[in-house]
Amino acid sequence: MDTLNNFLTQLSDFLWGWPMIILLLGTHIFLTIRLRFPQRYIFKAVRLSVSRDSMATGDVSQFRSLATALAATIGTGNIIGMATAIALGGPGAVMWCWLTGLFGIATKYGEGLLAIKYRVKTADGRMLGGPMYALERGLGWKWMAVLFALFTAVASFGIGNTVQANAIATVTYESYAVSPYITGAVICALTGAVILGGVRSIARVCGVLVPFMAFFYIVGCIVILVINSAYVWPALKIIVTSAFSPHAAGGGFVGSTVMMAARFGIARGLFSNESGMGSASIVAAAAQTRNPVRQALVSSSGTFWDTIVICALTGLVIVSSVEAYPDIDYANGAILTKAAFAKIPVVGTPLLTFGLLTFAFSTILGWCYYGERAMEYLGGRRWVGAYRVLYIIGVFVGSVMNLGLVWNLADSMNALMAIPNLISLLFLSGILVHETRKYLWRDRLDRDMDDDTPLCS
């Protein structure tokens, strides 16, 4: 196990070097400029996400599609992941994470657009899509599409499964001394009960969980910031200055290099909002929508909620709490968020525990759908049943395994997924501009696209 962990650590360090950072941020910025700053339509996107359109074609509503995507992204990346980024990269990692989300809105927009543009319909009427279909149908790169699907299937056991189960087991054990084996068994049972119902069952559960859990978590963060009000502005200054200066941390922090802050901030930003990874576009392809741009806008709103709002609040809570309470050991990322929430009298720890349980469980559900679609692309629907069994087993294994190994596996798979997806976005950027001009820039969002969705071969 130590040998495997060392290998994954070296692989993660290699994948998340400057080339990856340049590719990811470069794609975000390139698409932001080429698509004329789609971030300016974010409130229109939020409005569309809660609008029902019974005349559109697809498997689930736009809201439930977004809720499933958010369920897969709002999880330990926002809570434990943000704390880990700060512990490893210093407070400047918060700024890099936020910038990744801000510019990543354009990339998530592009992913959602291509998901609808290149989706296919199965014989039984289900919609399938995602980067593997964009790579195959848009660029003719079947081999790269297979690689993306393979990386997605493996990643689902890291970012979407073992990481989440491990976080749930860790927090319940530290808060209530519940054995990880008991926690793992309970999560397995709940996961199995939902995923057997397919995408509609997953989307229905996520449509209820996501708004509920996000509301209470945001309220908890605001309460902490009110308690830490005298330290909020100093925390903001530390976050901004230390993102670009290796000696600007100060306060309760030890200075970190700009490279470390950028690396862990961007990595956790991708882990959290998945802009550039391509995963969210898999469920976006199932959405009921009139045209690709409507769904692109709805998809982009997920990054806004996940990173611009929730990750930013989490980072500010952690940094202000370290400044306010010198007894908090910021170097221990696994319990850093828990220590910050514990400063809320009586309800702080239960609130965090409840938030983490619901966040992580919903992420397990969302990523199961991603993995299923990847397996179906690789080998047909006959592989889905076996995948579900292995996925449920993975939940239990993740509950009791080493956290460092889990995070290194997740970081590595995130990068390997992102590379082919980012390449497809860059090479198909002309299609993104064409579709955006056709529906958004010419104010034709209510126009139906041509019903030429091909049947799945």
Side-chain angles (χ1 to χ4, degrees):
M1 198 62 85
D2 288 340
T3 302
L4 177 60
N5 191 36
N6 290 335
F7 168 76
L8 289 173
T9 299
Q10 293 176 9
L11 178 61
S12 178
D13 289 342
F14 171 76
L15 291 172
W16 283 108
W18 275 113
M20 182 61 186
I21 290 175
I22 292 170
L23 176 62
L24 182 62
L25 276 182
T27 302
H28 289 349
I29 295 170
F30 172 76
L31 292 179
T32 293
I33 295 172
R34 185 151 198 208
L35 296 172
R36 300 180 186 175
F37 293 84
Q39 292 89 339
R40 60 197 171 104
Y41 298 103
I42 194 63
F43 295 110
K44 181 189 290 289
V46 172
R47 188 166 59 253
L48 283 173
S49 69
V50 296
S51 301
R52 180 176 293 275
D53 190 352
S54 59
M55 301 300 292
T57 57
D59 299 336
V60 295
S61 69
Q62 287 185 317
F63 174 75
R64 286 187 173 177
S65 170
L66 175 64
T68 304
L70 281 173
T73 55
I74 301 178
T76 56
N78 304 85
I79 304 175
I80 305 299
M82 197 70 256
T84 304
I86 294 171
L88 297 174
V94 178
M95 185 67 183
W96 284 104
C97 180
W98 191 83
L99 287 173
T100 301
L102 177 63
F103 288 104
I105 288 175
T107 301
K108 186 65 74 70
Y109 171 93
E111 291 171 348
L113 193 156
L114 296 180
I116 300 299
K117 176 71 176 177
Y118 294 111
R119 70 182 178 180
V120 299
K121 184 185 296 185
T122 63
D124 58 358
R126 294 177 301 117
M127 295 291 189
L128 304 179
M132 52 275 204
Y133 293 93
L135 286 162
E136 179 183 354
R137 297 186 59 230
L139 295 171
W141 296 350
K142 175 75 173 179
W143 64 275
M144 190 173 285
V146 170
L147 282 178
F148 177 86
L150 180 62
F151 293 147
T152 301
V154 176
S156 68
F157 287 96
I159 181 177
N161 184 320
T162 51
V163 164
Q164 312 302 327
N166 191 283
I168 294 173
T170 298
V171 171
T172 53
Y173 177 76
E174 291 176 351
S175 301
Y176 306 108
V178 178
S179 168
Y181 292 91
I182 296 175
T183 301
V186 172
I187 305 170
C188 283
L190 293 174
T191 301
V194 176
I195 66 176
L196 292 178
V199 64
R200 287 185 172 86
S201 175
I202 293 172
R204 185 168 55 251
V205 172
C206 292
V208 174
L209 274 181
V210 168
F212 184 68
M213 68 189 186
F215 172 78
F216 281 99
Y217 183 75
I218 290 172
V219 168
C221 288
I222 292 173
V223 170
I224 295 177
L225 292 177
V226 170
I227 295 173
N228 297 347
S229 58
Y231 299 91
V232 171
W233 180 245
L236 276 172
K237 290 195 293 185
I238 290 173
I239 288 171
V240 174
T241 56
S242 61
F244 307 102
S245 173
H247 304 293
F253 296 95
V254 176
S256 178
T257 67
V258 173
M259 180 60 190
M260 291 289 285
R263 180 207 159 181
F264 288 105
I266 293 172
R268 290 297 179 260
L270 176 61
F271 183 91
S272 173
N273 60 55
E274 299 177 13
S275 294
M277 198 188 304
S279 51
S281 64
I282 297 174
V283 72
Q288 297 167 349
T289 186
R290 290 177 179 266
N291 57 65
V293 172
R294 286 178 70 96
Q295 182 55 38
L297 288 169
V298 171
S299 294
S300 71
S301 69
T303 300
F304 169 77
W305 290 117
D306 177 270
T307 306
I308 304 302
V309 177
I310 295 180
C311 269
L313 283 174
T314 302
L316 193 55
V317 161
I318 292 172
V319 177
S320 65
S321 294
V322 172
E323 291 296 293
Y325 306 101
D327 59 307
I328 295 180
D329 178 14
Y330 93 93
N332 191 337
I335 63 172
L336 182 52
T337 311
K338 178 178 177 291
F341 269 77
K343 299 303 179 180
I344 304 179
V346 183
V347 300
T349 298
L351 178 64
L352 176 63
T353 303
F354 173 77
L356 183 58
L357 288 173
T358 52
F359 280 0
F361 178 64
S362 66
T363 300
I364 290 172
L365 299 181
W367 264 91
C368 181
Y369 178 75
Y370 298 162
E372 284 184 14
R373 296 290 73 80
M375 293 301 296
E376 185 169 356
Y377 181 83
L378 291 171
R381 202 171 186 185
R382 64 184 182 275
W383 286 20
V384 171
Y387 170 82
R388 288 176 176 173
V389 173
L390 290 175
Y391 195 82
I392 293 171
I393 294 173
V395 169
F396 184 81
V397 172
S399 299
V400 298
M401 71 187 301
N402 177 271
L403 185 63
L405 177 64
V406 172
W407 277 108
N408 285 325
L409 175 64
D411 276 347
S412 299
M413 290 302 104
N414 289 357
L416 290 174
M417 284 180 65
I419 292 170
N421 177 60
L422 293 171
I423 290 173
S424 72
L425 287 165
L426 292 172
F427 276 84
L428 292 171
S429 61
I431 297 294
L432 298 178
V433 172
H434 172 77
E435 296 294 316
T436 302
R437 179 185 297 113
K438 180 178 178 181
Y439 294 106
L440 183 59
W441 297 342
R442 294 177 179 172
D443 197 21
R444 297 176 179 175
L445 281 177
D446 292 330
R447 178 178 174 180
D448 293 334
M449 61 182 171
D450 297 330
D451 189 12
D452 59 353
T453 306
L455 289 175
C456 182
S457 59

